[in-house]
Amino acid sequence: MTRFDPASPVNLLADRFWEAILEQNPTTATMYGDERYDDRLEDPSSVGRGRARELAESTLRAALAIDAGDLPLEDRITLDMVRVVCELQIEQDDQRVDLLRPIDQMGGPQTLLPTLASFQLADTPERLERFIARLRAYPAYISANIELLQEGLASGLTAPRIVTERTIAQLERLLETPVEDSVVVKMARVASEADRARILAVVRDDVIPADQAFLDALRGPYLAASREDPGLWSAPNGDALYRTQVRAWTTLPLEPSDLHQIGLDELEQIEIQRKVIAQAQGFGDDTAAYRAHLAADSANTPHTPEELLRRAREDIDRAMALAPRYFGTLPRAGCEVRAVEEYKEKDSPFAYYFPPTTDGSRPGVYYANTYDLASRSYSKLASTTYHEAVPGHHFQIALEMENEQLSTFRRLGSRLVGGAYVEGWGLYSERLADEIGLFRNEAERFGMLDAMAWRAARLVVDTGLHALRWPRQRSIDFLRAAGLSETDAVIETDRYICWPGQALTYKVGQREIERLRAEIEARDGSSFDLCAFHDAVLGHGSLPLATLARELPTWVGTPA
């Protein structure tokens, strides 16, 4: 690899771009441990949108003015990534996708402060004042989001009704909670109870009235005008909006109908593998009966939230013990396991991951959902842990952040255009866990295959909902037939409705990584080095899939 030159024109441009992104997205900076903007929130108003547009346009002009012909490899990749990020941002701004963002049960405005409270330090006088200033900025932030609701009403670009209803229900739960028990107050990372009392007063006087105003705005004409059909096709210019989201999430110009068929074909192959396990366990070809047996098995079900969290921690430890055999470079950051917060557990997926801070003050965090505990089987938990934590997202993201041969933009900002790479690695890690013997029994291997089927079903369901005009119930039924519980099928369907295109990233990315591995293995034969392959895949940070496909075979050098 060419030695990293932080003063090259490309890296200077990329880092200026990333610095401006952090200033315009201060809570993103906080999540990475950058405290410079801890006293402010994003500006979703027309003024903030204009600043973001100008940044994308000016950065794109600068990127296009650089001759890529003689650039070192990493600079060439960085330049291409900056260009792609800017072009997609401009295209989505033209389409006014921002009008849909306030209505989101997964990551909408109502989730911002509760999430920040568990990450932002308020343990010194200076940090406390910054956190309080941020809380006091919340009413203006919510007011700007309410203006977006009004714009959406005027233009006809409104959210699907189920997403509006879920967002309303989440706000109602937040507002029903006594202020002293609110997530922001209880989770605030303060030095004393007197400091917590100050936060309680601001939450009572500023945050709760703002959330009430947001709830009132959603309950009014907006709910009535929300789209009955859940798919993006039903929005004005919906087909074009969906194609943009497919490209934004996967970085590839894929046809929805092709993705739909790939999902169906993969499901057929996965079902053949599930039948092999079901037969060996005495259930013949009846995979549904074997799944029902696992669901009813008390030994396969955690009885308390702590039991589930403890099992996840054990699996992370087991994966870390084997990792040196398959990875030459391991992350320095640790990985902590936490339960999904109670206020949003009903709307959240089975698990998800937050990256560590850049200064090492916080490890990566693997969140496991303990809601509806009876449906959270160990046979499902195992593959999820290997996907979200080790060797999945925690390895990929932590190693990227710790890579001193990449610019700050590449270490922290490249996931703006590398979603399919990130989720593809996570899904590849589930199969890798099987390959290296991490699953404890055939039940966990069956759970892994169910997880594979779930991701294949995502291709079918996401394209079905947003391009092929499926109703919501058809998606729920399809996911249940693929192996999901009723609870997860409903939550996941509504997640896909809320985030068009995101569900495509998993299988699209995994297929590309596995295709490249097979290609390099065929080229290298018995000289193929799996450890070197993994280090090469993870050694350049998050990438567009087209870039990974073009460059990876040269990174895994041809044997002498």
Side-chain angles (χ1 to χ4, degrees), residues 178-199:
V179 63
E180 62 272 14
D181 294 328
S182 73
V183 177
V184 176
V185 173
K186 293 189 73 173
M187 296 295 293
R189 302 177 69 181
V190 294
S192 70
E193 290 308 304
D195 291 345
R196 195 178 307 279
R198 286 190 63 195
I199 289 172

Side-chain angles (χ1 to χ4, degrees), residues 22 78 151 167 218 232 249 251 283 286 325 409 435 517:
L22 291 180
T78 300
E151 278 195 74
T167 305
L218 287 169
L232 196 52
W249 282 108
T251 70
F283 290 85
D286 195 344
R325 302 183 195 176
F409 170 74
E435 181 180 349
R517 175 175 163 176

Side-chain angles (χ1 to χ4, degrees), residues 38-159:
D38 278 3
D39 59 346
R40 65 192 80 169
L41 295 172
E42 282 74 7
D43 180 5
S45 73
S46 59
V47 173
R49 176 179 160 235
R51 290 195 187 107
R53 174 75 180 227
E54 170 54 30
L55 174 63
E57 290 179 339
S58 62
T59 304
L60 181 59
R61 287 194 298 270
L64 293 174
I66 296 175
D67 183 2
D70 296 325
L71 291 176
L73 169 66
E74 294 295 350
D75 281 17
R76 195 165 66 246
I77 291 172
T78 300
L79 188 65
D80 184 56
M81 292 173 71
V82 168
R83 178 185 58 79
V84 170
V85 170
C86 292
E87 288 175 347
L88 284 168
Q89 184 171 334
I90 291 167
E91 184 173 342
Q92 292 181 87
D93 184 63
D94 287 340
Q95 294 175 342
R96 293 307 309 274
V97 175
D98 62 307
L99 298 181
L100 297 174
R101 289 183 180 136
I103 315 92
D104 178 351
Q105 77 273 16
M106 305 291 300
Q110 75 285 353
T111 70
L112 186 60
L113 293 183
T115 300
L116 281 169
S118 64
F119 287 101
Q120 182 173 344
L121 294 173
D123 57 350
T124 67
E126 296 78 11
R127 285 170 169 165
L128 177 65
E129 292 307 322
R130 286 198 292 266
F131 187 59
I132 287 175
R134 179 167 262 174
L135 298 180
R136 287 180 174 147
Y138 188 67
Y141 169 74
I142 289 295
S143 179
N145 278 287
I146 290 172
E147 289 179 12
L148 291 176
L149 300 184
Q150 295 165 346
E151 278 195 74
L153 277 172
S155 69
L157 184 52
T158 58

Side-chain angles (χ1 to χ4, degrees), residues 244 252 334 354 356 364 530:
T244 297
L252 298 173
F354 266 106
L530 183 57

Side-chain angles (χ1 to χ4, degrees), residues 314-495:
E314 289 174 0
D315 283 343
I316 289 172
D317 290 343
R318 294 171 62 247
M320 284 300 304
L322 284 179
R325 302 183 195 176
Y326 302 96
F327 297 86
T329 304
L330 302 178
R332 295 189 299 271
C335 185
E336 181 178 309
V337 180
R338 298 182 190 174
V340 174
E341 295 93 336
E342 190 174 339
Y343 82 95
K344 66 177 180 180
E345 63 183 5
K346 292 181 181 179
D347 302 309
S348 293
F350 186 67
Y352 53 89
Y353 174 80
F354 266 106
T357 52
T358 55
D359 63 2
S361 62
R362 187 190 72 236
V365 181
Y366 166 39
Y367 280 95
N369 197 338
T370 59
Y371 171 69
D372 187 18
L373 198 60
S375 72
R376 310 301 188 185
S377 64
Y378 291 135
S379 54
K380 177 179 176 181
L381 178 67
S383 61
T384 306
T385 299
Y386 303 134
H387 176 116
E388 297 292 342
V390 177
H393 290 330
H394 178 63
F395 267 36
Q396 185 271 318
I397 293 173
L399 286 171
E400 174 179 87
M401 293 175 68
E402 295 167 1
N403 191 337
E404 295 178 356
Q405 294 302 308
L406 298 177
S407 67
T408 305
F409 170 74
R410 290 282 296 280
R411 288 188 293 110
L412 303 180
S414 58
R415 286 188 294 283
L416 293 169
V417 75
Y421 166 87
V422 173
E423 296 301 351
W425 174 259
L427 196 50
Y428 171 85
S429 296
E430 296 184 41
R431 281 286 191 184
L432 179 64
D434 188 29
E435 181 180 349
I436 66 180
L438 280 172
F439 294 118
R440 301 166 188 248
N441 48 47
E442 289 298 276
E444 289 191 350
R445 291 195 66 249
F446 189 86
M448 179 271 297
L449 291 171
D450 269 358
M452 290 292 147
W454 170 25
R455 276 40 168 265
R458 283 176 169 173
L459 297 182
V460 179
V461 167
D462 197 89
T463 53
L465 286 165
H466 295 295
L468 305 181
R469 307 193 174 198
W470 279 24
R472 175 173 176 263
Q473 190 59 46
R474 183 172 178 181
S475 170
I476 294 169
D477 293 343
F478 191 90
L479 291 174
R480 289 198 66 193
L484 273 70
S485 68
E486 175 73 19
T487 295
D488 285 334
V490 171
I491 289 174
E492 290 297 313
T493 289
D494 294 345
R495 169 186 168 184

